[in-house]
Amino acid sequence: MASPLSPIPPPPFFSSTTTTTTLTRRSLLLSSTLSTTLIAPPNLSSSNSLSPPPLLDTTITDRVFLDFSLCPTYFRTVPYTSTTATASESTPLCSDPTPLGRLVIGLYGNLLPLTVSTFKLMCTSSSYKNTLVHKIFPGQFFQAGRQGRNREYGEVHLLPTLDLPRNTETVDSKAFLLKHSRAGVVSLCLSENDDDDEVKLDSDYRNVEFLITTGPGPCPQLDNNNIVFGTVLEGLDVVTAISSIPTYKPSERIRQLNDLAEFFGDERAQKGRTLWNRPLKTVYISDCGELQVTNPSMSPSLP
């Protein structure tokens, strides 16, 4: 007989430690089996499944050309007068221009008909002729086609007879799908636009400023903010030559003073920044137009 003070032994067929461990393992195995059995595989045909991105029609429908020249002397165009009928009649006062070469640009007319038609009309009407490449960002892109109050300084002046359509593609999200992935991408300047503020306030204002990427790498900072509407088919060596032209780079002290002036609301800060990245040599579009070909359509040129 057991002593009243001795501990009471557990039941013969019950061990709390062993039983608990066994049940826990079985529970884990059971829950794993039930999860595999009850969870149905995803329905690939469901409308909630991820769909591939839409295919973009980058077929080249039109081809235009831009001839670039370098003016080693002071460049100044003849200002418009009442007798000036077209932009092509304004001839540059450059004594000895140095041709840099020609760019042949393919345009994506099926994808962006409004942007392409405007750019094409600017070329065929010679509205880009004798206007400056006003900004160069080495290793990234250069800008041209800036509008100002006076074309005498190489800025674009739109004649009322052009009757450019209002470009509604600038507010269409589908127009921003193409990327600035390589050199030779032609894009409508939106985020990088620096047209004169007074020109932008005009009710008939049309944005015709454009940029061309120079490589060697992509420019992701331009993506989703500017509209890619074409590509350089011939003349990447000209693009490289333009990108190698030295530009004005402010010193760190000038940048700090400019930031301080902007902080205090000084309007001169913004005007001062317009000089940054200006080429130290005069580069301008000496001629432009459309290339008439029998069948301008080509296979998509973007990867």
Side-chain angles (χ1 to χ4, degrees):
M1 176 181 294
S3 173
L5 298 177
S6 62
I8 300 175
F13 299 105
F14 180 80
S15 175
S16 59
T17 304
T18 306
T19 306
T20 303
T21 305
T22 304
L23 290 176
T24 301
R25 290 175 180 174
R26 289 178 179 177
S27 300
L28 289 174
L29 290 173
L30 181 60
S31 63
S32 176
T33 305
L34 289 176
S35 299
T36 307
T37 306
L38 296 178
I39 297 177
N43 185 5
L44 297 179
S45 62
S46 173
S47 58
N48 294 329
S49 61
L50 294 177
S51 57
L55 295 177
L56 302 178
D57 187 359
T58 56
T59 301
I60 294 173
T61 57
D62 305 274
R63 285 194 280 185
V64 297
F65 70 89
L66 298 174
D67 290 341
F68 290 87
S69 295
L70 190 65
C71 187
T73 59
Y74 182 71
F75 176 92
R76 194 165 188 170
T77 57
V78 177
Y80 284 100
T81 63
S82 58
T83 59
T84 304
T86 62
S88 60
E89 294 180 20
S90 177
T91 56
L93 300 180
C94 184
S95 59
D96 189 18
T98 302
L100 291 177
R102 168 171 292 189
L103 295 187
V104 176
I105 299 174
L107 306 177
Y108 308 139
N110 293 339
L111 183 64
L112 299 157
L114 289 175
T115 304
V116 165
S117 64
T118 297
F119 186 78
K120 180 180 173 181
L121 184 57
M122 290 292 294
C123 292
T124 56
S125 64
S126 296
S127 296
Y128 284 136
K129 185 176 181 180
N130 296 331
T131 60
L132 298 174
V133 173
H134 63 279
K135 288 286 184 71
I136 299 175
F137 296 85
Q140 300 181 60
F141 60 93
F142 67 82
Q143 294 174 239
R146 181 183 187 272
Q147 293 184 64
R149 290 172 292 178
N150 195 341
R151 187 180 167 139
E152 183 178 356
Y153 302 103
E155 298 171 324
V156 169
H157 177 78
L158 298 181
L159 295 174
T161 54
L162 281 180
D163 193 24
L164 296 176
R166 188 171 296 277
N167 192 350
T168 56
E169 291 168 353
T170 58
V171 294
D172 184 357
S173 60
K174 296 179 181 179
F176 296 86
L177 296 178
L178 293 179
K179 306 301 181 183
H180 302 76
S181 57
R182 53 186 172 77
V185 173
V186 185
S187 181
L188 180 67
C189 285
L190 295 178
S191 65
E192 306 300 320
N193 181 282
D194 58 355
D195 287 336
D196 190 277
D197 290 336
E198 292 188 16
V199 175
K200 291 181 179 180
L201 294 176
D202 193 323
S203 59
D204 295 326
Y205 169 73
R206 300 290 186 270
N207 182 12
V208 295
E209 186 177 334
F210 65 95
L211 63 85
I212 299 178
T213 57
T214 61
C219 293
Q221 75 276 16
L222 300 176
D223 295 342
N224 306 315
N225 297 309
N226 304 275
I227 300 178
V228 176
F229 64 89
T231 183
V232 174
L233 300 176
E234 301 175 19
L236 281 177
D237 57 326
V238 180
V239 173
T240 303
I242 294 175
S243 67
S244 64
I245 294 174
T247 60
Y248 170 69
K249 295 180 176 62
S251 65
E252 185 60 29
R253 178 172 175 78
I254 292 179
R255 289 179 180 272
Q256 293 175 355
L257 291 174
N258 186 277
D259 292 340
L260 183 63
E262 185 180 31
F263 177 78
F264 286 107
D266 193 332
E267 296 180 356
R268 292 175 296 180
Q270 184 62 32
K271 293 181 179 179
R273 291 189 180 185
T274 60
L275 299 176
W276 299 3
N277 296 103
R278 285 278 181 96
L280 298 180
K281 297 180 181 180
T282 301
V283 191
Y284 69 102
I285 301 173
S286 52
D287 200 6
C288 56
E290 182 182 10
L291 291 175
Q292 299 291 345
V293 292
T294 305
N295 184 15
S297 296
M298 299 178 65
S299 59
S301 57
L302 285 180

